Amino acid sequence: LQEVYNFKNINKNTKLFGITGSPLETTSSPSIHNAGFRAHAMNAVYIPIRSDSPDEAIDFANKVGVRGLSVTFPHKESILQELKQISEKTGAIGACNTIIHGDSGWQGHNTDAIGLKKALIAFTGFKSFRRKRVAIIGAGGAAKAAANVVKELKGHCCIFNRTVSRAREIAENYGFKYAFLGLESLDLLESYSDIIIQATSIGMKNKSASHEKEDPLGFYDFRGHECVYDIVYEPKKTPLLQRAEKAGCKIKNGYTMLQYQAYEQFKLFTGEDYE
């Protein structure tokens, strides 16, 4: 409580921020944000707020005076209907991971995209994906941010998801290809394997015992040339990353994305640069 949340310094004037989602059993966001508050000598605290629905999170935040929230799985898309305003970027992506309480109500922003963009450039060493063929795995809020990033970096992309209609919805916004995530699309996945972005919660620690052991690309044999970025950061190496690393691939988990997007959130929450 003291090391992460500065518990002894909390008082009636402490500004409240937090992260909401479900099951929210594993998150490093409090450590990042509270360290920022300490570094800037701010009387503020950032706490986990588990919620089964976006309206439950908003209701709680309104009652206790929370000023800003990070929004994580599974609320990044459904939270939009609870907001009075959204940024242009948020509207273009169709997903929101940051909300702030303003004079007119709750306002939505998306820092996932800029966080992932910085993380991917640092990971791959490429400032442009112009000659790269990119596979995005999943079609949720994180995948929507990933598609926006790949478009900005001018990459060729195919979105793979078990529910093809959701993949199609994202792909058609950007002129990308889309396909079912499974053995029947193996040839297409192989042709879009320069960079693979795993954008689902599969493999996440504590999501569920079976879920944590899953590999969304279990049908795919890595050949060693792929750059594999998994947005899951706990555990540090998901079954997918372990298998990719064993095959000689360049791998990275999602902690760098978490950091970069959190720095952008901190600026929105406080008006100050994190570093």
Side-chain angles (χ1 to χ4, degrees):
L1 285 173
Q2 181 60 21
E3 289 180 3
V4 176
Y5 297 99
N6 308 312
F7 183 75
K8 294 179 181 178
N9 297 321
I10 294 175
N11 55 55
K12 64 180 181 179
N13 296 317
T14 300
K15 296 177 181 178
L16 296 177
F17 300 91
I19 179 169
T20 192
S22 180
L24 204 63
E25 293 177 352
T26 301
T27 175
S28 295
S29 294
S31 295
I32 295 173
H33 283 279
N34 288 317
F37 295 148
R38 282 195 300 272
H40 289 266
M42 294 177 176
N43 186 11
V45 66
Y46 179 104
I47 60 175
I49 302 170
R50 184 186 183 280
S51 61
D52 292 325
S53 64
D55 62 305
E56 182 181 64
I58 293 290
D59 184 57
F60 177 83
N62 287 335
K63 286 180 178 177
V64 303
V66 174
R67 301 192 178 203
L69 283 170
S70 305
V71 181
T72 189
F73 179 87
H75 303 330
K76 290 185 179 184
E77 297 165 279
S78 53
I79 194 75
L80 291 172
Q81 63 189 9
E82 304 294 330
L83 307 177
K84 293 294 184 181
Q85 294 178 305
I86 60 173
S87 69
E88 183 177 350
K89 172 72 78 174
T90 303
I93 293 172
C96 171
N97 76 313
T98 310
I99 61 174
I100 299 170
H101 193 272
D103 294 336
S104 61
W106 288 94
Q107 304 163 359
H109 301 266
N110 189 298
T111 67
D112 274 341
I114 185 61
L116 180 59
K117 184 177 182 179
K118 290 181 177 180
L120 286 174
I121 290 173
F123 167 53
T124 64
F126 305 130
K127 293 183 179 180
S128 170
F129 289 177
R130 189 180 298 275
R131 295 181 177 84
K132 303 300 177 184
R133 296 171 74 83
V134 184
I136 295 174
I137 311 303
K144 288 182 174 181
N148 185 270
V149 169
V150 174
K151 186 66 174 181
E152 285 189 358
L153 293 175
K154 305 185 186 305
H156 301 282
C157 183
C158 185
I159 298 172
F160 297 84
N161 194 56
R162 290 174 183 172
T163 304
V164 177
S165 61
R166 287 181 59 83
R168 180 175 64 243
E169 179 184 348
I170 301 173
E172 288 180 346
N173 286 336
Y174 299 103
F176 292 159
K177 291 183 178 296
Y178 60 91
F180 175 73
L181 178 62
L183 188 59
E184 66 189 58
S185 300
L186 179 59
D187 289 344
L188 189 59
L189 179 57
E190 288 178 345
S191 69
Y192 278 86
S193 60
D194 292 334
I195 300 168
I196 297 175
I197 303 170
Q198 200 295 111
T200 77
S201 61
I202 294 175
M204 183 183 295
K205 185 177 182 180
N206 293 330
K207 185 69 170 59
S208 73
S210 60
H211 198 84
E212 184 181 343
K213 297 177 182 178
E214 289 182 25
D215 178 345
L217 296 182
F219 61 92
Y220 176 82
D221 291 327
F222 290 102
R223 291 167 289 176
H225 72 274
E226 301 92 340
C227 291
V228 185
Y229 192 93
D230 193 332
I231 68 162
V232 173
Y233 60 87
E234 189 61 42
K236 293 181 179 179
K237 291 182 183 178
T238 60
L240 171 70
L241 289 186
Q242 291 176 35
R243 199 164 57 83
E245 183 179 47
K246 188 175 180 179
C249 299
K250 185 176 182 180
I251 67 167
K252 194 74 173 179
N253 69 35
Y255 191 76
T256 49
M257 174 186 174
L258 175 74
Q259 284 181 304
Y260 288 130
Q261 67 82 24
Y263 297 163
E264 297 295 324
Q265 285 181 336
F266 189 86
K267 181 70 176 287
L268 290 169
F269 288 157
T270 68
E272 300 285 339
D273 291 327
Y274 188 91
E275 296 178 316

